[in-house]
Amino acid sequence: MTLQARPLRLSTTDADFESRFQQRLHWSADADAQIEQRVAEILQAVQQEGDAAVLRLSRQLDGVQAESMAQLELTQAELAAAFESLPSQQRQALQQAAARIRRYHEAQKQAAGQSWSYRDEDGSLLGQKVTPLDRVGIYVPGGKAAYPSSVLMNAIPAHVAGVAEILMVVPTPRGEKNPLVLAAAYVAGVTRAFTIGGAQAVAALAYGTASIPKVDKITGPGNAYVASAKKHVFGQVGIDMIAGPSEILVLADGSTPPDWVAMDLFSQAEHDELAQSILLCPDAAYLDAVQREIDRLLPGMPRAEIIAKSLGGRGALILTRDMEEACAISNRIAPEHLEVSSREPQQWEPLLRHAGAIFLGAYTSESLGDYCAGPNHVLPTSGTARFSSPLGVMDFQKRSSLIEVSEQGAQTLGRIASVLAHGEGLQAHARAAEMRLKDA
Ligand SMILES: NC(=O)c1ccc[n+]([C@@H]2O[C@H](COP(=O)([O-])OP(=O)(O)OC[C@H]3O[C@@H](n4cnc5c(N)ncnc54)[C@H](O)[C@@H]3O)[C@@H](O)[C@H]2O)c1
Ligand SMILES: N[C@H](CO)Cc1c[nH]c[nH+]1
Ligand SMILES: [Zn+2]
């Protein structure tokens, strides 16, 4: 039987558009509940049994036969050897990507990640002191594909922020280590690396085990199990966001070659059967042309099966009344990646408010952002771009407020605080302020 990839065809003028659109956006509650249940069991096992559970689950879920946790740690020598063993073209590409990612995140730190303070009219100092986290865990996915680029996207901003210890976890299905992943860890300066993945890796980082130190925060993307585990451990540790199965939304005015758009939809669909690719366009003939290109190109794709399942199960080609309506629907979806494939991307960009990353113009394929444009590819999914932002230097920092009140300032603030503290019925607060008043 020939493989087919048939995204759902919808039109905003259909009477049942709203219900079918909603159904397509949200994955099945049943599947979700099963994943939640499994993840809860895994987290509990690791919390109670530590390394023993991590070893057992790595055997069961990843087919990794290890007798001790020491066998699951990658040495710095192994990382360096992996880098040295790469063909020079791959070594160079890793270094070029790393340099661009570093430059972007250094600019981000300059713009938004610095301490600041000012003195008020009484000479009191008010400000914010920014400090890096001490120890972070970065999750690098590795179930259905290997992600050296995710090593760079996590570890480089952590370094730029000044994090002292960067612990990496990455699953190695059947014990197969990906040399590019190891080499990327070398290039990005990862402190320690463990070949474990899934919810068990998230649990080990969050709770700590005899072999894996507990971290302060876990960042990085992963499949639905990883995303759910991060949600569960939030509070024990910090997390960056929910960066689950990949998504792309293409907003097209019909001017981009349809095979480019078809391939861009494939590029995220090939990550995972649960990935989501959506095309919005006001031109029905263009949607037909993209579907024809999907049919033509699919058989040549090595990951055709995953693409077909993702597009068939979660994809959509949506006919809109016009580009304005397409922008409004895109804002409702709040996709991880948003491509504005138009002759006038600057015309539509001001209308677009919710997306992890916005790619402007036909030449800006989303895949360039995945690897080397510079901005981070760890991005919020499942509509969480309404309130979350791309991974960045600020995720590896925290802020402390700084307050130094002058003698004069204590007179002004003391009177205000005293009134409010008495209003709250908190006498010790009031007295502490009043004792510092000169006429007390
Ligand atoms: N949003 C982002 O920024 C971003 C970036 C890169 C990748 N991604 C996404 O990350 C995901 C990577 O997924 P992946 O599967 O390739 O790697 P992964 O490392 O996220 O997941 C693999 C792990 O999942 C666990 N697992 C798989 N099936 C399980 C089951 N039935 N029960 C319990 N645990 C199970 C296993 O422990 C395995 O080690 C994809 O969905 C991709 O789209 C997202
Ligand atoms: N598109 C992914 C984020 O959703 C990132 C990635 C890495 N490699 C290829 N793609
Ligand atoms: Zn990708």
Side-chain angles (χ1 to χ4, degrees), residues 341-427:
S341 214
S342 156
R343 269 208 195 90
E344 293 105 18
Q346 301 297 346
Q347 181 182 344
W348 308 117
E349 187 274 329
L351 303 187
L352 299 166
R353 303 189 51 235
H354 307 304
I358 303 176
F359 300 78
L360 298 170
Y363 280 97
T364 319
S365 81
E366 186 278 339
S367 62
L368 301 179
D370 278 349
Y371 295 105
C372 54
N376 210 287
H377 83 199
V378 182
L379 298 165
T381 57
S382 310
T384 59
R386 290 188 326 280
F387 52 82
S388 290
S389 310
L391 185 68
V393 174
M394 292 84 79
D395 287 289
F396 297 100
Q397 298 172 320
K398 65 209 161 41
R399 286 159 287 283
S400 305
S401 301
L402 279 183
I403 308 166
E404 182 192 333
V405 176
S406 66
E407 188 179 349
Q408 183 57 39
Q411 311 311 302
T412 319
L413 300 186
R415 287 189 175 80
I416 302 170
S418 160
V419 171
L420 294 176
H422 282 300
E424 288 186 350
L426 297 175
Q427 278 72 22

Side-chain angles (χ1 to χ4, degrees), residues 28-41 225 228:
S28 115
D30 271 2
D32 230 12
Q34 276 174 19
I35 291 173
E36 293 287 312
Q37 168 71 24
R38 184 73 188 112
V39 166
E41 290 163 6
Y225 292 91
S228 161

Side-chain angles (χ1 to χ4, degrees), residues 147 149 246 268 271 336-337 366 370-371 377:
Y147 289 95
S149 53
S246 302
Q268 295 311 284
H271 278 291
E336 180 193 12
H337 305 107
E366 186 278 339
D370 278 349
Y371 295 105
H377 83 199

Side-chain angles (χ1 to χ4, degrees), residues 238-322:
I239 63 165
D240 49 350
M241 71 186 90
I242 302 306
S246 302
E247 301 163 356
I248 184 168
L249 188 149
V250 182
L251 237 169
D253 64 5
S255 61
T256 306
D259 55 339
W260 293 15
V261 168
M263 196 55 75
D264 292 354
L265 297 174
F266 284 3
S267 77
Q268 295 311 284
E270 76 172 344
H271 278 291
D272 194 326
E273 293 86 351
L274 292 176
Q276 182 153 64
S277 301
I278 293 178
L279 170 60
L280 294 171
C281 177
D283 178 349
Y286 186 75
L287 294 180
D288 292 339
V290 172
Q291 181 62 62
R292 277 196 300 276
E293 291 304 325
I294 290 175
D295 295 340
R296 184 178 71 80
L297 294 166
L298 184 71
M301 302 306 298
R303 295 167 75 87
E305 258 182 64
I306 298 181
I307 295 173
K309 282 201 184 122
S310 161
L311 288 182
R314 304 210 64 219
L317 306 184
I318 305 178
L319 180 66
T320 58
R321 290 177 177 85
D322 47 36

